[in-house]
Amino acid sequence: MSSNSFISRHRASLLPLLALCLSACGGSDGKDGEPGAPAGDPAISIDSLTIDINSVKLTDGIPEVNFSVHNQDDEAVIGIPSARFIAAQLLPQGYTNAGDASQWQHFGAETCDANCPGIFTDFKNGSYSYKFSTVLDGMNGQSLVAGATERMIVKVGGDNLADGTALPVTNQHLDWTVAGNDPVYGREIVSIEACNGCHTDLAFHRGNYNQTQTCVSCHNLTRVSDPAHVFAPMIHNKHLEGFPRSLSDCQVCHKDNDMLAERDNWHTVPTMEACGSCHTDIDFVAGTGHPAQANNSNCVACHNAEWTAEVHSDADRQMALAQFQADITSASMDDSGTVTVAVKLSNPQTGEVFGAANTLSFVSDLRIYANWGLSVDYTNRSARNIRLHEVEPISGSNGSFTYQITGLTILPGTEVDLGTLAIQGRICADGASLTACGDNVDALPIKASHVSFSNTALSAKGRRTIVANDSCGNCHGDQQLTIHGARNDLEGQCQLCHNHNRTADATAANPSHTSVDFKQLIHALHGGKFEGFEELHFPSELGNCATCHVNNDSGVLSIALPLAKEVQPLALSDGSFTSATAAICSNCHEDEQTHNHMIQQGAAFAASLADATAGTESCATCHGQGGPVDVLKVHPIR
């Protein structure tokens, strides 16, 4: 019987004895920051850790940290086998020179595992202490500054308790002062949550460090030899290429988060080091691309906070876009495949209703796309469309104008199916105001949108949702990734043309990487496998499907097997087909062994349409929900 099973079965009888033992080993009244009494039940299962740094003090100049460790249920974690302790100091803004930002200094780090340079004490109740091996003042050649903000970091995890229970890596910090007062200044500028909007679970140095407060304590001029490895310049420089948003949008990372006291530093404290790491064509000292600057003392004289925020903001763009809205208000389709659709254009800010699109001087482009057959993931290879800014409406009044789209294909059996309409466009603006289109005028893409419709009316029920604009927006911004001029509704617009009717290159080593069918294209793009995008770097773990996929109507992640019946096989350029599950999965899992495994389980590669749709794929038997190798379990989904 395992130790965990024994404790679980006999927990009630063991707890009084355990409490007595723990009290004898390390309990106290908790005064002056010393470890307190036993912390209740010991942790049996550990999914996550919390480190509470209770105090840091200097004894004869040597730092000593007292901390406790708990699991997700606030139960004490007893017997951690190792920990690392990092000490740092923050110099205040302007301390090193007028105009300089606040700067971190690295004092040092000590690791306690089988051997400790200092004194490590386990109080056997979830409380611990560590006393460094040397005095803080002078460590790493750095001097204690009176009144400065000090930082202590405790890192635990990445190893196991004595009974084999794995400890997840956890970093925590405490900012303190030698005098025992609360720090009067800090440098909380970005959060790991902002980073993980794209990166999901960012960690460095073999996964040991996963908090920005830890990173800055080492990535500073007193710890790294190359100035390019100081945290702010390093992060800016790493994002210069492949960044999925506009580089001028600083608030992708520098979010307006009330928990970050110094969140406005990006525009209130301009420095050569920070600004130059993005504006790499400038040499401030030499005077290349900018008047020569010996130091940061004069930066704010020209680059005041309001101006800096304004030029790194799209506020004017958003104000202009907020003055225009295009709504599809009704739709129906006759037996010939002709769709009649009504559109209303308005200013939601004022309630003003506009005329037809072709009469509005500020409309650069406005189009509606239509496709039919949600039960077969669309019947047309490319959606039929009309350009509202170029055609007269059939009829209209009170701001609602009617148009017709012809040529939809109605396959037998889809007569009472559903279709999708998508609307996209661009409007012209001068600053925050709409203006007539012309030379030197910005044409701004509006947020594209889609609706579903039946033969008789708009429908609340539509195509299943596989990815959402919100999930794409974690990296690309809220419908800020615009393709083909004005298409940014990645959730439901793209699929009207990027569907299974598009063919893949039958001669390619992996045809799945050559198809523009949306489900194939997106996997290939983000895996760096689509031609021309081999250098694309996916910022999260490729196997973490939840980065993009969302839950279906049943609350299950949309990668779950079996696939929806609407999913069609992959069409190849030679007229053959690959069965649907195999085509999708082989986009990532493309080795020969897996390929053969798929065939053994009924997959059809480059086969006839009949074979590819025969239903012989048995993938869901093992990889379906609840199966022994459920795709929801074997992928590293976070």
Side-chain angles (χ1 to χ4, degrees), residues 324 343 345 354-367 387-391 393 401 403:
F324 181 79
V343 180
L345 307 180
F354 296 127
N358 63 318
T359 68
L360 303 177
S361 63
F362 61 82
V363 172
S364 170
D365 178 75
L366 193 63
R367 308 183 194 193
R387 304 184 180 197
L388 277 61
H389 58 292
E390 295 179 353
V391 301
F401 297 89
Y403 303 85

Side-chain angles (χ1 to χ4, degrees), residues 147-269:
T149 297
E150 311 297 333
R151 172 167 288 177
M152 179 63 66
I153 293 166
V154 178
K155 175 265 171 184
V156 300
D159 47 17
N160 303 299
L161 296 178
D163 67 356
T165 301
L167 296 176
V169 171
T170 308
N171 309 160
Q172 190 51 270
H173 75 284
L174 177 71
D175 290 347
W176 59 288
T177 64
V178 172
N181 306 315
D182 290 335
V184 297
Y185 66 92
R187 189 173 170 81
E188 294 295 325
I189 296 178
V190 296
S191 69
I192 193 64
E193 289 77 18
C195 303
N196 284 339
C198 275
H199 297 288
T200 304
D201 194 10
L202 196 61
F204 290 100
H205 302 293
R206 298 176 299 280
N208 284 316
Y209 304 118
N210 54 18
Q211 298 294 325
T212 54
Q213 293 90 348
T214 305
C215 301
V216 298
S217 300
C218 290
H219 283 273
N220 55 66
L221 288 172
T222 62
R223 178 67 176 83
V224 298
S225 57
D226 186 348
H229 292 161
V230 173
F231 188 74
M234 177 181 70
I235 296 303
H236 290 166
N237 189 263
K238 283 182 177 295
H239 288 82
L240 289 180
E241 292 187 9
F243 192 57
R245 304 273 291 275
S246 169
L247 280 173
S248 63
D249 188 358
C250 300
Q251 288 193 282
V252 173
C253 302
H254 295 279
K255 293 186 180 297
D256 188 16
N257 182 345
D258 290 341
M259 300 298 291
L260 303 173
E262 290 73 41
R263 60 189 177 276
D264 292 331
N265 271 34
W266 66 272
H267 65 97
T268 60
V269 189

Side-chain angles (χ1 to χ4, degrees), residues 533-544:
F533 292 86
E534 292 85 358
E535 299 302 316
L536 191 148
H537 175 65
F538 189 59
S540 183
E541 190 172 4
L542 270 176
N544 182 17

Side-chain angles (χ1 to χ4, degrees), residues 207-534:
N208 284 316
Y209 304 118
N210 54 18
Q211 298 294 325
T212 54
Q213 293 90 348
T214 305
C215 301
V216 298
S217 300
C218 290
H219 283 273
N220 55 66
L221 288 172
T222 62
R223 178 67 176 83
V224 298
S225 57
D226 186 348
H229 292 161
V230 173
F231 188 74
M234 177 181 70
I235 296 303
H236 290 166
N237 189 263
K238 283 182 177 295
H239 288 82
L240 289 180
E241 292 187 9
F243 192 57
R245 304 273 291 275
S246 169
L247 280 173
S248 63
D249 188 358
C250 300
Q251 288 193 282
V252 173
C253 302
H254 295 279
K255 293 186 180 297
D256 188 16
N257 182 345
D258 290 341
M259 300 298 291
L260 303 173
E262 290 73 41
R263 60 189 177 276
D264 292 331
N265 271 34
W266 66 272
H267 65 97
T268 60
V269 189
T271 65
M272 295 186 292
E273 295 80 13
C275 299
S277 57
C278 281
H279 299 279
T280 55
D281 56 339
I282 293 176
D283 186 328
F284 291 98
V285 176
T288 303
H290 188 282
Q293 304 290 313
N295 52 50
N296 293 314
S297 60
N298 198 42
C299 296
V300 75
C302 294
H303 303 287
N304 62 71
E306 182 178 356
W307 180 88
T308 304
E310 181 180 340
V311 298
H312 293 86
S313 167
D314 64 352
D316 282 353
R317 169 195 177 102
Q318 295 305 320
M319 290 176 65
L321 288 170
Q323 298 170 54
F324 181 79
Q325 183 169 310
D327 294 308
I328 296 173
T329 57
S330 69
S332 61
M333 188 179 74
D334 64 22
D335 294 340
S336 70
T338 296
V339 181
T340 300
V341 54
V343 180
K344 179 182 177 181
L345 307 180
S346 64
N347 181 339
Q349 302 289 308
T350 64
E352 177 186 2
V353 176
F354 296 127
N358 63 318
T359 68
L360 303 177
S361 63
F362 61 82
V363 172
S364 170
D365 178 75
L366 193 63
R367 308 183 194 193
I368 295 181
Y369 294 81
N371 211 332
W372 183 256
L374 295 191
S375 66
V376 292
D377 273 347
Y378 301 122
T379 55
N380 286 55
R381 180 175 183 272
S382 293
R384 306 299 180 180
N385 73 88
I386 52 172
R387 304 184 180 197
L388 277 61
H389 58 292
E390 295 179 353
V391 301
E392 289 282 346
I394 296 172
S395 61
S397 62
N398 298 322
S400 182
F401 297 89
T402 302
Y403 303 85
Q404 285 190 333
I405 305 174
T406 61
L408 270 68
T409 300
I410 307 172
L411 295 175
T414 68
E415 293 84 358
V416 292
D417 209 329
L418 293 173
T420 302
L421 290 160
I423 189 165
Q424 69 175 59
R426 289 177 293 173
I427 56 175
C428 296
D430 181 7
S433 302
L434 301 183
T435 190
C437 298
D439 295 338
N440 302 317
V441 174
D442 291 333
L444 310 177
I446 66 172
K447 283 187 178 180
S449 61
H450 67 281
V451 295
S452 297
F453 68 101
S454 68
N455 289 328
T456 58
L458 294 179
S459 172
K461 181 181 179 181
R463 186 179 186 271
R464 66 197 184 283
T465 301
I466 309 300
V467 297
N469 285 325
D470 285 344
S471 57
C472 300
N474 287 332
C475 284
H476 296 291
D478 182 18
Q479 291 190 240
Q480 295 299 302
L481 180 61
T482 299
I483 309 297
H484 305 309
R487 299 171 200 174
N488 50 49
D489 178 12
L490 306 177
E491 177 180 321
Q493 176 189 26
C494 302
Q495 297 82 348
L496 269 69
C497 293
H498 291 274
N499 57 53
H500 68 95
N501 296 294
R502 299 298 187 110
T503 58
D505 181 1
T507 66
N510 188 341
S512 292
H513 294 161
T514 69
S515 173
V516 296
D517 181 5
F518 194 74
K519 56 185 173 290
Q520 305 294 348
L521 173 66
I522 294 303
H523 287 149
L525 280 173
H526 288 87
K529 300 294 182 67
F530 197 81
E531 185 177 357
F533 292 86
E534 292 85 358

